[in-house]
Amino acid sequence: MSFLIRVQLPDRPGTLGAVATALGEIGADILSVDVVERAPGLAIDDLVVELPSGRLPDALITAAESIEGVEVDAVRPYAGVLNTHRELELVEEIAAQPAQGLAIFAEGVPRIVRAGWAVVVTHDGDGVHRVAASTAAPETRMVTVPWMPLPRATILDGEEDWVPETWQELGTELAATPLGKPERVLLVGRPGGPMFRAAELARLAHLAGIVAVVLPD
């Protein structure tokens, strides 16, 4: 079974290699690595790791944190590998079928930003309207969205009153970005985390800005 493990580690030569060695010692196979964020002396990396059957995911945490200075932010099941070319593929697909662009975008975004689901919502005088959603998006609808219209990409507090109770129970981390206009927003959720980082939010906003150009009004 494959897992996505997000680690914070000292940004010095050899640290990631030491983590890879520690994971290998428990039989884990690293399928891909993606740099999420860099800061002075610190790196945030996402690793997709295949763990032999019979081994518990807790073993990944123990192995990774056996390396000095390494902390695991989150571990969750994950299908597939990280692919940095998916943004281009998604934009090309939307450009080829702009009439279905919102549905294609909502379905494709979770794989790019490693989220559990995505929805596109609009807001007008009659309230909130869901216009597209990924396959895994929860059926529970938002009654109010005090942050709409949304002027810029934002990491949202998943424990605020507007968040449906079921989302809160799952510890869902949330991020949103305008999709061409403040009244049309892409909302993405990560049940159980990890939290969205600033670099991930910037990536999401950049992608939404590109896609909005080819979407019909």
Side-chain angles (χ1 to χ4, degrees), residues 36-123:
V36 176
E37 195 170 86
R38 282 283 190 269
L42 178 70
I44 309 293
D45 291 349
D46 278 351
L47 290 72
V48 174
V49 178
E50 190 172 70
L51 194 60
S53 58
R55 298 303 299 267
L56 296 175
D58 287 353
L60 296 172
I61 300 175
T62 301
E65 292 188 343
S66 69
I67 307 304
E68 183 180 358
V70 174
E71 295 183 11
V72 174
D73 278 355
V75 175
R76 62 184 176 89
Y78 186 81
V81 297
L82 303 177
N83 186 340
T84 56
H85 299 291
R86 281 181 172 161
E87 286 99 328
L88 294 176
E89 295 171 355
L90 183 59
V91 172
E92 289 176 353
E93 186 179 358
I94 293 170
Q97 306 177 73
Q100 289 77 46
L102 288 176
I104 295 170
F105 190 45
E107 190 65 44
V109 161
R111 296 193 300 271
I112 292 172
V113 299
R114 279 91 70 192
W117 51 264
V119 297
V120 177
V121 295
T122 59
H123 184 269

